[in-house]
Amino acid sequence: MAASNWVVKINEQLESMVDTSTEMEHWRKRSIYKIPSCVTDLNRKAYIPQAVSFGPYHHGKDHLRPMEEHKHRALLHFLKRSRKPLQPFVESLKEVVQVLKDCYDQLDVSWQEDTDGFLQLMILDGCFMLELLRLYIMPYIRRDMLMLENQLPILLLNKLMAVESDKAKDEGFVNKLILKFCFFSSTHFSTKHKCLHVLDVYRKSILFEENLSKKKSGHRSSGSARYRGDSDDIIRSATELNEAGIWDISFHGGVLKLPTIVVDDATESIFLNLIAFERLHVGAGNEVTSYVFFMDNIIDSAKDVALLHSQGIIQNAIGSDKAVAKLFNSLSKDITLDPESSLYAVHKKVNAYCKKSWNEWRANLIHTYFRNPWAIMSLIAAAFLFALTIAQTIYTVYPYYHPSDPSPSRPNLPSPRHFH
């Protein structure tokens, strides 16, 4: 009987199931997610704001309550600067309140039903964030602003800014404020890119523009190991690559080009939240995930970090090289390199280059004899002495095998006779 009821229930759900396009449209509205516990359990602190909550997910938590007073003060300053009452801001957001709600995945029913409370939350948090961005106060909050569960829709910030400036400032203005606050400038990123929230602005700003146009919709990062069944899928460490003659994420002519990265106390949290966003958001791509996987593969020890630092790739702001190595090795848990990633092609080229013995021999020669001017001078002197030794040997041995021809003897002529 129970089995029969289950069959009926499944059939009813199947009949009421929406088509694929409708379901995809539903997911495309989402941009701010609650991260699954299977992910957060690995490092809870990386996903929980420490100073301030933005949005509904962490609102009201005890350790974040002290910042609520600052939010109200920021709202008053915001309104005073705009020389407008609160009402036009409320009216503007009422037009898009459902869109704002749809941005949040798994939004609690209490927020869904209490539209006035949700609008109040959006206005308070939105004005506070804009004040932080514009006045550049409380920079230590940057870490909290780059957490996936602690995001505000960029639509909210643009709407508030449009009312305040009478639509004098375009949507790119908020993006500029975000990049400035995050200490980031990118020649590859146009502030007019359509972004979803602060974390998305930051993510797109650290990616090359050509990668943005190549991203595939619906891609997710998955997997768990550095080894994926083929020896070509294991890239060597930075030290091994250096010994194979690779150094300058593109690869051409034996030169591996890597972007400079500053590693500080916020790096781990930022990367983990970027990876979570790429995993959960349909169409986000997986460029950051691939980069983290790539870096984990070339960093095995403190020696690799020291080498990357010496080449200007890593700027270490957390102290020991060992700590940096441990950080990158921990970031790559449960991720793998997507075969469609642009880094996958680089990965293959690097491994193919390393397999050629001549490249390693040449690199060893360079590292051993051309590391500094004294080594070069010693090599030149040794080569010169070796050449002289060979010349001397040839000069000594050659006459033995090729003796000089004796002088031709004079013919014996008959002595002249005298006739009397």
Side-chain angles (χ1 to χ4, degrees):
M1 186 67 179
S4 178
N5 291 337
W6 178 71
V7 171
V8 172
K9 184 178 180 180
I10 292 297
N11 287 334
E12 290 175 350
Q13 291 176 348
L14 185 62
E15 290 177 1
S16 61
M17 185 177 177
V18 297
D19 58 64
T20 305
S21 59
T22 304
E23 187 176 5
M24 285 296 293
E25 186 60 31
H26 166 80
W27 282 108
R28 289 186 189 281
K29 293 178 181 178
R30 305 291 188 260
S31 60
I32 304 169
Y33 304 87
K34 279 192 173 181
I35 303 172
S37 58
C38 62
V39 176
T40 59
D41 285 348
L42 297 174
N43 188 345
R44 287 185 178 277
K45 189 176 179 181
Y47 304 99
I48 298 175
Q50 302 299 305
V52 61
S53 67
F54 292 108
Y57 290 156
H58 295 279
H59 178 75
K61 289 188 175 179
D62 290 340
H63 72 287
L64 303 175
R65 287 184 186 277
M67 197 60 70
E68 295 302 309
E69 182 181 344
H70 295 290
K71 290 182 182 180
H72 285 277
R73 190 180 301 114
L75 172 62
L76 296 176
H77 282 286
F78 183 86
L79 294 174
K80 186 175 182 180
R81 182 183 294 105
S82 68
R83 297 180 180 179
K84 291 181 175 66
L86 180 60
Q87 194 58 32
F89 294 95
V90 175
E91 294 300 324
S92 176
L93 293 184
K94 277 184 177 180
E95 298 173 2
V96 294
V97 65
Q98 189 56 49
V99 177
L100 295 176
K101 288 181 180 180
D102 289 342
C103 291
Y104 291 93
D105 183 41
Q106 301 180 34
L107 183 63
D108 194 87
V109 176
S110 61
W111 291 112
Q112 290 281 12
E113 295 177 349
D114 185 7
T115 297
D116 289 340
F118 183 79
L119 280 174
Q120 180 179 330
L121 174 70
M122 290 290 102
I123 291 174
L124 268 175
D125 287 4
C127 291
F128 182 57
M129 181 175 284
L130 286 173
E131 289 293 284
L132 292 176
L133 295 175
R134 183 159 43 193
L135 301 179
Y136 193 67
I137 54 178
M138 301 182 181
Y140 61 88
I141 290 178
R142 180 175 72 110
R143 179 179 175 275
D144 286 354
M145 289 176 66
L146 292 171
M147 290 185 174
L148 179 56
E149 292 187 356
N150 212 34
Q151 296 299 302
L152 294 174
I154 206 79
L155 172 63
L156 166 68
L157 303 180
N158 286 331
K159 280 284 186 180
L160 293 173
M161 188 59 68
V163 175
E164 187 216 35
S165 65
D166 294 320
K167 298 184 179 180
K169 294 173 181 174
D170 60 19
E171 294 184 359
F173 180 77
V174 173
N175 290 352
K176 291 177 183 176
L177 291 178
I178 293 170
L179 292 178
K180 183 179 178 182
F181 187 83
C182 293
F183 318 114
F184 199 91
S185 61
S186 172
T187 57
H188 300 279
F189 177 71
S190 169
T191 53
K192 293 184 179 180
H193 272 304
K194 190 170 182 63
C195 299
L196 302 170
H197 39 63
V198 172
L199 184 66
D200 191 38
V201 173
Y202 182 83
R203 176 183 173 275
K204 286 177 178 173
S205 69
I206 64 176
L207 299 178
F208 288 105
E209 201 156 33
E210 56 265 28
N211 285 343
L212 295 178
S213 63
K214 293 178 182 177
K215 72 179 188 298
K216 305 291 184 180
S217 62
H219 254 308
R220 302 291 179 88
S221 304
S222 60
S224 61
R226 176 178 304 180
Y227 180 72
R228 298 174 58 241
D230 186 338
S231 61
D232 286 347
D233 291 328
I234 304 175
I235 197 166
R236 305 189 186 191
S237 70
T239 305
E240 290 176 309
L241 292 178
N242 190 44
E243 291 171 355
I246 296 176
W247 213 254
D248 168 287
I249 274 176
S250 64
F251 179 71
H252 180 71
V255 178
L256 179 64
K257 292 184 179 179
L258 295 159
T260 300
I261 177 175
V262 178
V263 180
D264 57 24
D265 292 334
T267 300
E268 181 180 32
S269 174
I270 292 172
F271 270 126
L272 286 174
N273 280 274
L274 288 170
I275 291 170
F277 176 65
E278 290 186 347
R279 174 177 291 184
L280 296 171
H281 186 66
V282 174
N286 49 27
E287 291 86 354
V288 174
T289 304
S290 297
Y291 169 78
V292 170
F293 180 88
F294 191 92
M295 291 297 287
D296 170 51
N297 274 273
I298 67 173
I299 295 176
D300 282 339
S301 66
K303 187 177 180 181
D304 298 318
V305 175
L307 180 58
L308 291 168
H309 176 72
S310 70
Q311 297 293 330
I313 304 300
I314 288 180
Q315 295 181 13
N316 186 356
I318 63 174
S320 72
D321 292 337
K322 185 177 180 180
V324 175
K326 184 179 179 181
L327 184 151
F328 275 103
N329 295 157
S330 66
L331 284 175
S332 65
K333 290 180 180 178
D334 199 32
I335 64 173
T336 189
L337 188 61
D338 184 354
E340 294 194 30
S341 165
S342 60
L343 284 183
Y344 189 76
V346 176
H347 180 109
K348 289 289 187 182
K349 289 180 182 178
V350 169
N351 283 328
Y353 187 91
C354 291
K355 286 181 177 180
K356 296 179 180 178
S357 300
W358 161 246
N359 293 323
E360 190 166 349
W361 295 339
R362 184 182 64 177
N364 286 333
L365 177 66
I366 293 172
H367 296 156
T368 304
Y369 297 108
F370 295 95
R371 189 174 295 275
N372 57 65
W374 294 110
I376 295 173
M377 291 176 64
S378 298
L379 179 63
I380 293 173
F384 181 70
L385 290 174
F386 184 66
L388 287 178
T389 302
I390 292 176
Q392 184 180 16
T393 302
I394 292 174
Y395 184 78
T396 303
V397 173
Y398 185 82
Y400 178 80
Y401 289 99
H402 300 278
S404 300
D405 293 335
S407 301
S409 58
R410 297 176 65 181
N412 295 324
L413 298 176
S415 57
R417 294 183 179 183
H418 299 278
F419 296 94
H420 299 280

